[in-house]
Amino acid sequence: MNPKTILRTGSLAVLIGLSACYPGGAEYVDELDVVGTAYSKQVSFSDHKTYYMSDSIPQVASDNIEDPNGDNKPDYISMSTANLITSAINRNLQNYGWSRVTDKTKADVFIMNATMQNTQIYYYYNYWYYGGYYPYYGWYYPGYYPPTYTTTRTGTLLMQMIDGKEVNGAGKAAGMWVGIINGLLEGSSGSQNARISSSIDQAFKQSPILKK
Amino acid sequence: MKKFVYILASAAMLCGARPVLAQDQEGIFNLYYSMGLATGDLHDYISRYSWRGMGMEYKSEITDNVSMGIGAEWNTFYQDMNQGTFTRDNVAITGDQFRYMNSFPMSARINYYKDNAAGLRYFAGAGIGTTYMIKALDMSIYRFTQDEWQFLIAPEAGVSYDIDASRTIFLSVKYNLNLKTKDLAGQSYLAINVGFGFR
């Protein structure tokens, strides 16, 4: 067998094979949205029918987590976004047979919401690439690029259902249910709002235990 | 620890094959395109047919009807699960899942050949070695990966045809049976290989 033939054919096969390394993956922002829920197995949900929920929602971000203005109060997200979130939660809870109360003493559970914003920085360097190795500047093997970095902003909405009936001696109440929604903060505010609303719907859809 | 045993066992087998190869008059180098059909636990994880893969092997004829050799392959399985809800006990997670499995089997192989009058050469055999498996799951911006070495048994059957004295084409079906390890269930798939051989 001619060694050149093996080399040529082998190189072609290796290139084709390398291109197979990472097929597919997410193409759209909403494909990265994730909704997680969990509930306590030690609580009887049928005994709880009324809920109290604040209209405002605290915001936790890297620049306010240490309370830079020193007022000992959390920052809040805009009321328009808070209204979007609370109205979606209200709609779902009421569809499931819950009643909202404005008097905390009459609430069986408390819905406590919070949002978090996080920025991740990804630095990408492909060790297959060596700047001066290839003969033509600006030419790389398919799929191989010079070092680069990207940043992504992700947002998280945390919804917690706290048991108002089971408060222990230390004043702590048990968590009954939690819903977490996470996604990229990309796209227009209209598309973000639509994704938030549909994700909240999904959180309740996958939690039939809350149904009365 | 087990993976080191697999690597050592495979290395021993490959080294052990060398004196036999050295005695041969004729060897053949095969280069092939490899497709994959997952079975068992791997099929539960990724049921989609894999069109991505390649392999190469060197075999030496120790008699007119028997060859021995070594080879390595690469098969990539991928499936987009679209949006789905995955529930375990009291926890549920909804999102798009992107599932990947990269399989790198390496084995020592023995084949038995039978010729027919039309010039076709049927063969059947088996390989034994190890497979490096890389399992990945993408969900949201997170990636969960697991990599394992598994012990490999790979029976194979196929047919080849000599184009001329130095080149052949062949088609084979190989069952890559990778035995379970402590952290990963057995992963198996059918590899459908089409390729060229060079003498």
Side-chain angles (χ1 to χ4, degrees):
Chain A
M1 178 176 46
N2 184 346
K4 281 186 178 175
T5 307
I6 295 177
L7 193 62
R8 283 186 199 134
T9 317
S11 302
L12 181 65
V14 167
L15 280 175
I16 293 170
L18 286 174
S19 69
C21 188
Y22 287 108
E27 294 178 31
Y28 302 101
V29 171
D30 61 352
E31 290 180 315
L32 298 173
D33 290 346
V34 64
V35 179
T37 56
Y39 63 86
S40 168
K41 293 191 282 187
Q42 294 160 355
V43 177
S44 170
F45 282 83
S46 58
D47 297 342
H48 301 73
K49 291 171 183 161
T50 59
Y51 69 96
Y52 175 88
M53 180 169 63
S54 171
D55 288 328
S56 53
I57 300 176
Q59 179 182 37
V60 180
S62 55
D63 57 352
N64 74 356
I65 198 164
E66 293 182 348
D67 191 22
N69 59 10
D71 65 355
N72 290 320
K73 292 180 182 174
D75 291 340
Y76 293 93
I77 62 172
S78 71
M79 280 313 294
S80 61
T81 305
N83 287 339
L84 173 84
I85 292 169
T86 54
S87 64
I89 294 171
N90 277 326
R91 181 178 69 244
N92 281 282
L93 280 174
Q94 286 163 20
N95 283 345
Y96 272 180
W98 292 76
S99 300
R100 187 177 187 181
V101 295
T102 52
D103 183 352
K104 290 180 185 175
T105 61
K106 292 180 180 172
D108 295 332
V109 300
F110 293 87
I111 305 296
M112 300 178 69
N113 302 313
T115 62
M116 281 148 270
Q117 185 178 308
N118 206 348
T119 302
Q120 283 96 0
I121 299 173
Y122 297 96
Y123 181 76
Y124 176 79
Y125 179 80
N126 194 315
Y127 67 90
W128 285 81
Y129 170 77
Y130 297 97
Y133 184 81
Y134 299 116
Y136 306 109
Y137 177 76
W139 181 87
Y140 314 105
Y141 275 136
Y144 296 139
Y145 302 100
T148 184
Y149 72 91
T150 58
T151 61
T152 59
R153 282 192 316 139
T154 58
T156 302
L157 168 64
L158 178 65
M159 302 174 287
Q160 297 176 91
M161 181 179 282
I162 307 297
D163 193 343
K165 292 182 172 181
E166 294 289 333
V167 181
N168 68 16
K172 292 183 178 176
M176 295 173 62
W177 174 87
V178 62
I180 300 172
I181 292 165
N182 178 269
L184 289 188
L185 293 174
E186 300 293 341
S188 66
S189 59
S191 73
Q192 284 188 32
N193 289 346
R195 286 165 51 212
I196 291 170
S197 189
S198 64
S199 294
I200 292 171
D201 290 346
Q202 177 58 43
F204 286 93
K205 185 181 172 187
Q206 69 191 44
S207 304
I209 196 163
L210 299 177
K211 200 179 285 186
K212 296 288 131 199
Chain B
M1 181 61 196
K2 271 187 179 176
K3 72 180 179 184
F4 295 114
V5 175
Y6 293 155
I7 295 168
L8 285 175
S10 303
M13 281 186 297
L14 300 186
C15 292
R18 277 186 181 169
V20 177
L21 300 180
Q23 297 165 9
D24 298 329
Q25 286 97 37
E26 192 168 57
I28 185 165
F29 177 77
N30 288 334
L31 198 60
Y32 48 93
Y33 170 54
S34 181
M35 298 159 280
L37 178 65
T39 59
D41 187 83
L42 181 56
H43 183 268
D44 293 341
Y45 184 62
I46 297 174
S47 59
R48 199 167 148 191
Y49 191 79
S50 165
W51 296 92
R52 296 176 170 91
M54 57 173 286
M56 59 186 76
E57 65 183 352
Y58 181 80
K59 293 194 283 196
S60 190
E61 293 176 355
I62 55 175
T63 71
D64 286 346
N65 293 327
V66 178
S67 75
M68 286 185 72
I70 55 174
E73 282 146 29
W74 180 9
N75 293 94
T76 297
F77 295 84
Y78 164 74
Q79 188 159 13
D80 173 0
M81 299 302 287
N82 293 317
Q83 184 151 88
T85 300
F86 308 92
T87 305
R88 177 176 286 185
D89 201 9
N90 58 336
V91 176
I93 297 176
T94 298
D96 282 64
Q97 281 194 3
F98 301 93
R99 298 179 174 184
Y100 304 85
M101 179 68 88
N102 276 282
S103 167
F104 301 89
M106 294 156 259
S107 60
R109 302 164 186 187
I110 183 165
N111 282 321
Y112 175 79
Y113 295 87
K114 187 164 180 60
D115 297 308
N116 80 352
L120 293 174
R121 195 160 206 224
Y122 297 101
F123 62 90
I128 189 168
T130 183
T131 301
Y132 183 52
M133 311 287 297
I134 307 173
K135 186 178 185 178
L137 170 67
D138 288 355
M139 198 166 187
S140 184
I141 61 168
Y142 306 102
R143 162 162 284 209
F144 308 92
T145 57
Q146 182 181 13
D147 60 296
E148 287 285 328
W149 288 91
Q150 295 190 315
F151 187 76
L152 168 71
I153 300 170
E156 179 181 24
V159 60
S160 67
Y161 180 78
D162 286 353
I163 301 171
D164 56 32
S166 60
R167 292 175 299 172
T168 66
I169 54 173
F170 73 93
L171 167 70
S172 77
V173 177
K174 187 159 61 161
Y175 184 59
N176 284 314
L177 175 64
N178 298 290
L179 304 186
K180 72 174 182 180
T181 49
K182 184 184 168 192
D183 297 321
L184 185 64
Q187 306 291 306
S188 57
Y189 60 92
L190 278 174
I192 297 98
N193 304 321
V194 183
F196 293 97
F198 306 92
R199 286 195 178 86

